[in-house]
Every structure is written in structure tokens, then in C-alpha cells.
Amino acid sequence: MSISEKSASTQKIQAGLKRRYAKEKRFRLYGIISLIISFAFLLVLLTTIVSKGLPAFQQTYIKIDVTLDQADLGVDKNASEDELFSAPYSKTVKNSLKAMFPDAHGRKQKRALKNLVSKSAAYELRDKVIQDPSILGTTQTFWFLAKDDVDVFMKGGIDRKLPESERRIKDYQLAWIDQLIKEDRLEKRFNTVLFTAGDSREPEQAGMKGAIIGSLLTMLVTILLSFPIAVATAAYLEEFAPQNNRWVDLIEININNLAAVPSIVFGLLGLAVYINIFGIPRSTPLVGGLVLTLMTLPTIIIASRAAIKSVPPSIKEAAIGLGASPVQVLFQHTLPLAMPGILTGTIIGMAQALGETAPLLMIGMVAFVSDIPGGIFDPSTVMPVQIYLWSDSPERAFTERTSAAIMILLGFLVLMNLIAITLRKRFEKKW
Amino acid sequence: MSNSSIEKNMANAEKPETRDEFNVEIDGTVGSPFVDNPKMSSRNCDVFYADKQAIFNVNLDIAKHEIIAMIGPSGCGKSTYLRVLNRMNDTIPICRVTGEHTLDGEDIYAKNQDPVLLRARVGMVFQKPNPFPKSIYDNVAYGARLHGLAANRSELDDLVEASLIKAGLFKEVKDDLLKPGTGLSGGQQQRLCIARAIAVDPEVILMDEPTSALDPIATALIEELMDELKANYTIAIVTHSMQQAARVSQRTAYFHMGHLVEVNDTKTVFTNPEHKLTENYITGRFG
């Protein structure tokens, strides 16, 4: 068939085809480019965080021979636990270090010598003695946490080629460290402190456990409150509320608007209402959870409503036609079928809440809390606030810990998403 | 393709449709809408969707153990009327039903009438097969469990089996009772829905175009089934297929634009309709 035989519209269509395909190709190209750009950003972000944070998962320990001199400590094997508790162990640690490096002279060097090991060494020693007082008067070998400067140096954070005046570790300290390395007294181990300790002003003693527990408790309060309230609200608005009712419309508009309210406003609200009016203790997971509930509610409600709306009406009609009451239809058909969507919304809301910082600053969760919270009434902090606090600290070792904390937070987010996907799969498996 | 054929098609499309058949006065219902000792009956039935009236003054009796077919063009109100009979319209907030409706002489819209009980007595099968996303067994057992009809597991097993046998599905699914009901073919799904409806042991079964989504073989199976069910149940069926109405029903009601135009023996309606509109519809002039 030659072109002249083709109808006018066929010719027109053919003329335009090339342009249409070119447009399609261009559009696909734009999509790929934006995908590459976003991946690049993600990659840059992750590599910076991981490369900065990975060293924090290791910690340097120092092996020291400690002579537990009873005269120095002022206690003997028959001393009471109270006496053992309050003995000056830091002096013992200092003397032990002096014995290892007798060349240290002058106040400055002596202080620097003491600062080779963490302050926690004295407490560790105390615990060891209380546990077994018979070691008093003997010489024992212990591994203690190294001070953050030593730790940073061991991880290559301090360049020994710099002139001494520009370096945090002086030449005499370098000599000590070199001697320790030679005697195999320095060792890098997995940093368990990061997961087993609360916050501390000393980087080598600072851990995330308090923040992790605080986050978990806060999330627990949030999900226990927001999930049932949000699902009940969504179910009522979708299935029971009178349609075209002015009040219902008003509530709907308000819920949609609440989702767009800046989170710090919820923090102010929590401060004014929960803390000042109801007198709920500050900085606690309870009040944090209550504030985050306010913030998560609209997200879960909107997602749940969409999920409930998408349940096929034919299923509901079938149940009604068999004589099911509206509540039975809701619990036996609508909610189970909407559950995957509801769960997705819940996890999105919870992930948002897990990473939320601003409203929690308002209700005092930014306080320095070194204790690990034992319940929802204990003052605590949460992971993102912990990151914020550490990023604000000047010590070099906190920089890597900040990145490590971000990695832990991201890990928890991934974990939550995995749970969400598993739950979704399980509910969807019911065909 | 040549230009001329396109032009021809366009000329056809532009031809104005003559709708004179449409403009016939409707004045009450002709034929015999009333029977002695009816199973269900409606008097002065009006249905409104918000301000729009969908059904105008329908008066109709449904006799015991008959199959009554409701036919008419789309939007004529036949499905709406069917849903009046088990109060399915209650679920639509803007829908308002007036008039008197009885089941065995009992007012089904009375204040003390429980719609849950009514729907157990007046079952429904829908246009699109809508099995629950559960196993075949659970689908059939759903109504019985809901109303506590079976005292124990073995009674429930018997009930499920009996219902599936009555719906003519048991042979096909007896080994797959725990498989999902949604995995069946369209025709099997619809028979599953019928089994589900009769498991509650209703007195009346309303069928809203039960075969419109099915192929002819599945349709034939369901029509056979309806004929058997007639012995125990009263059936009202809405259908778009006049052949189906002619095949399965004893009486036929013709609806037009919300009015019940004619009710007569099926044979009369299809061979010698009383009303001009009915004649126009069954001879295929519109609809």
C-alpha cells in the first residue's frame, strides 16, 4: 500500500508517530536521570555516615597491671562493703600507671598519664574489689577503656606528623602509646559500651542504650494509643458517620490539616497541656509518646480511611445480605481486608515518630540523662535527640559516635519496615 | 481503508434516534399484580434517593414458591425494588422507602422489625459473584455461624455439605473445601454464593441479575438450580435477559422508569403483553 492510498487520518497519525515516540523516550530518560541523581545522593549520604560511624563500633582498651595496695586504698580484706565502695580507686589506677611509666614528671605530664585510661577504670576496679575482696594486696592485670584521645589516635584520627603544638597528643604521650603498643597493651575490641551504657560526658563511656530504651518505650506508648484511636476514628468516619453532615465535614477537614501542622507545634501543645495542665512528669517516654500520638494520629487516620474505602463494597453487601450487623461487617470483613493498608500507614507514622526530634525538645526530652529508663515514668531521651546531643559535643570521639548513632537509628527504621512488610504479607496471604 | 466507509459510519451515528415508544402514559399497573395469600407484598411503594424519586407507587404481591422475574430497561428501578424487600437500601443513607411491605403479613419496615433477622429470612444473591476471601467451607458456614444455626462442628459440616449439594456445587468442590472461594470459576463462585445464601435457610431468595457476569453454560446450570430451589423457596429475580425470564419464571413484572407497568403470567407477558410499553420492550424496540 503506497502512501497516496492511505486515508488522510492515517497519514496524519503516521506523521505524528515519530514525535510521540521521541517524547516517550525523552520522558523515560528524565525518569532514569532523576533516579540516578537520587541514588547518588543516597549513596553519598550512606557512605559518609558509614565511613564516619564505623570506627565508633570499635573501642581501644589498655592492659594495666594494677597493684591493689591496701595502704593506698585505706581498706583491708575485712572492710565493709561501704568502706570498699568509697575507697580512692582512682589513686590506685594513677599509681599503677606511674609504675609503668616512671619517666612522667611535672603536673601536666602526670595528669596526661592519668588520662590514658578512662575515668571509668576506677569504677571498674571498685566493682572488681567488691566482687572479690581477696584481690586486695595483690597485683592484677586488667583491661580498661582507653581515654577518647588515645582511642581516636589508635583509629588514625590524629596525625603524628603534625607539629606538636597542633596536635592533641603531645610527644611524651606518643612515646607512652608507642611503648604500650610495643608491649601489646593496646587492643581494639568491639565497642559493647555503645550498646550497654547510657549517655555520658566522656565519649568512651557514652552509649545508646538509654536512648534506645527511651525510644522503644516512647514508641510503645505511641502505638498503643494512636493505633486503636486512629483505626476507630477512621472506621467511624467511613462506615458510621452521617454523610453530608457539617460537623463530620469539619472533623474531616481538621484531621487533614493536622497532618500538615509542623511537629514543633505539637511539642508546644504537649508542654502546655500534658505537662502544665495535667502535670505529667517532664522528659518521660509517657509524655513523649502522648505528643507523638498527636502527631501520628492524622497519618494513620488518613491511611486507614483510604484502606477502608478501598474494601470492595460487594463483600460488605454480601455480609449484610446474610444478616451481619454493621459491627460484624466491620470486624469480620472491612477491617481484616483493610489491615495491610492500615498497617502501612501505621508504620509510616511510627517511622516518622521514631525520627522526630523537634516536639520532644519542647517537652524536655533533650535533658542529659545518663540513667537507663526503667519505665515510662523515668526521665529519658530518644535516639534522634541523642544524635542531636552528641553532634553538639566538641570531643572528636563524639563525631564518630554521632554517625554510629545515626546508623543505629537507620537500623531500627529498616527493622520497622521489615516488620511492616512481614505483617503485610501475612495479612495479604489470606487471598 | 477508504474514506467512504468512515463517512458511512459517521452518517449512521448521527442519525437521530426515534424514541416515540418511550412517550407512553403510564397509569397504574396492568395485569394481575395481586395474588391470594402472598409470601411478600408491597403497597404504595415509593423510593427516593435524596430528592430524586426512583420508584413510583409500586403495588406487587409475590406468591409462595414461585419464581417472579423483574425485567425492564437499565435504571428502571427493578434492582432498587428488589433491595426494598430485604431492606438492603437501609445501608444507603440518602435512600428513603415509603409504603407498606410485608413478609407473611408482617410489616418488614416496622420499628420493632430487626433488619438482621429479616435478611436471614430474605436472602440475596448479587450480580457479581462476591464470595468472601475465605475458604469455600467458611463462605458457606458464615451465615450459620453468624446466627448460631449449628450447635457443633459436625452439624455445621452437615449444613455446609447440604447447602453445597442444594446449590449443585458439592461434587465439584468436595475435596477442596478448605481452598479459597475466590479461586473458583465465575459460575462456581455464583453457585457458592447461592449455597451461602441457602445455608441460612431463608424463606425468600432475591437474585439481582445473578447470571449477568457468567457464560451461557454457567447460566444454564444456575437456571436449572433455580427451578429446583423453587420447591422450597420463593425466588424473586431481576434479569436483563428476557429469555432467562421466560425460561425460569412463572410470573413476570415489567418495570419502566420507576413504574411497575405490567405484571402477568410469564407466558402472557411474552406472547400477549397487555401494555404497549411491555410490548415495545420485549420486541426489542428499546432497552
Side-chain angles (χ1 to χ4, degrees), chain A residues 221-361:
Chain A
V221 174
T222 310
I223 196 159
L224 285 183
L225 286 171
S226 60
F227 184 73
I229 296 177
V231 174
T233 309
Y236 178 79
L237 285 176
E238 279 305 318
E239 302 287 315
F240 298 102
Q243 282 174 344
N244 302 319
N245 178 307
R246 200 178 298 178
W247 289 107
V248 176
D249 288 347
L250 192 73
I251 291 170
E252 280 190 37
I253 292 169
N254 274 309
I255 288 172
N256 293 338
N257 281 339
L258 275 185
V261 169
S263 56
I264 197 152
V265 177
F266 287 114
L268 275 172
L269 187 78
L271 178 64
V273 177
Y274 293 142
I275 295 177
N276 286 347
I277 297 180
F278 294 132
I280 297 171
R282 273 186 311 159
S283 314
T284 57
L286 176 64
V287 72
L290 283 167
V291 166
L292 291 179
T293 300
L294 287 181
M295 217 196 68
T296 353
L297 268 179
T299 316
I300 307 183
I301 291 174
I302 291 169
S304 303
R305 289 190 64 181
I308 289 172
K309 213 177 268 181
S310 67
V311 171
S314 64
I315 295 289
K316 292 190 225 169
E317 279 200 320
I320 294 168
L322 284 169
S325 69
V327 173
Q328 284 171 326
V329 175
L330 180 70
F331 281 104
Q332 294 172 354
H333 300 284
T334 314
L335 284 187
L337 287 174
M339 205 38 82
I342 294 177
L343 282 178
T344 310
T346 308
I347 293 297
I348 291 173
M350 294 306 288
Q352 224 177 352
L354 182 66
E356 198 54 71
T357 323
L360 301 180
L361 302 184

Side-chain angles (χ1 to χ4, degrees), chain A residues 51-52 55-56 148-153 155-159 162 166 168 201 203-204 390-403:
Chain A
S51 61
K52 267 193 187 168
D148 56 328
D149 281 338
V150 180
D151 185 45
V152 170
F153 174 78
K155 288 170 187 167
I158 294 169
D159 187 2
L162 281 174
E166 287 172 29
R168 265 189 76 85
R201 294 283 184 234
E204 72 278 0
W390 282 357
S391 71
D392 227 20
S393 303
E395 284 88 350
R396 179 71 199 268
F398 269 129
T399 318
E400 59 180 38
R401 276 176 174 75
T402 306
S403 295

Side-chain angles (χ1 to χ4, degrees), chain A residues 83-137:
Chain A
E83 284 171 315
L84 287 178
F85 190 86
S86 44
Y89 294 100
S90 54
K91 208 164 132 197
T92 310
V93 176
K94 201 163 82 183
N95 289 341
S96 304
L97 283 164
K98 254 187 215 162
M100 287 169 66
F101 303 104
D103 57 329
H105 52 83
R107 273 186 65 169
K108 215 173 171 186
Q109 287 200 14
K110 276 178 186 163
R111 200 168 62 212
L113 185 62
K114 200 179 89 184
N115 276 344
L116 277 177
V117 295
S118 167
K119 280 181 189 140
S120 70
Y123 307 128
E124 270 178 58
L125 200 57
R126 179 191 69 199
D127 294 342
K128 290 260 164 59
V129 171
I130 290 173
Q131 205 185 359
D132 179 17
S134 66
I135 60 171
L136 279 173

Side-chain angles (χ1 to χ4, degrees), chain B residues 230-276:
Chain B
K230 174 178 84 176
N232 298 311
Y233 307 97
T234 301
I235 297 175
I237 174 174
V238 162
T239 178
H240 261 297
S241 154
M242 281 176 278
Q243 290 88 334
Q244 182 171 59
R247 282 193 300 261
V248 299
S249 70
Q250 282 80 59
R251 288 203 302 153
T252 297
Y254 174 66
F255 283 77
H256 189 97
M257 300 193 71
H259 297 268
L260 178 55
V261 175
E262 175 170 352
V263 185
N264 258 323
D265 284 349
T266 299
K267 212 173 176 185
T268 317
V269 169
F270 286 106
T271 54
N272 186 21
E274 272 181 54
H275 201 283
K276 180 79 180 135

Side-chain angles (χ1 to χ4, degrees), chain A residues 30-50:
Chain A
Y30 296 151
I32 291 171
I33 289 173
S34 45
L35 199 69
I36 290 171
I37 291 174
S38 40
F39 258 110
F41 275 118
L42 192 69
L43 210 66
V44 168
L45 186 81
L46 283 182
T47 39
T48 6
I49 290 171
V50 171

Side-chain angles (χ1 to χ4, degrees), chain B residues 36-108:
Chain B
D36 291 337
N37 196 13
K39 183 70 191 170
M40 296 197 83
S41 85
S42 293
R43 292 291 178 273
N44 307 320
C45 172
D46 288 331
V47 179
F48 301 87
Y49 287 113
D51 298 332
K52 203 175 148 272
Q53 188 162 3
I55 287 186
F56 300 84
N57 194 28
V58 166
N59 296 280
L60 181 65
D61 285 345
I62 298 172
K64 283 181 178 142
H65 300 303
E66 76 164 348
I67 298 181
I68 181 165
M70 298 172 187
I71 59 169
S74 294
C76 68
K78 53 193 191 301
S79 285
T80 302
Y81 177 69
L82 198 71
R83 293 164 66 99
V84 165
L85 296 176
N86 71 343
R87 292 184 59 174
M88 278 305 275
N89 286 332
D90 287 14
T91 58
I92 305 165
I94 54 162
C95 184
R96 195 158 53 83
V97 178
T98 63
E100 273 173 44
H101 306 274
T102 60
L103 171 65
D104 286 336
E106 210 178 289
D107 183 2
I108 60 174

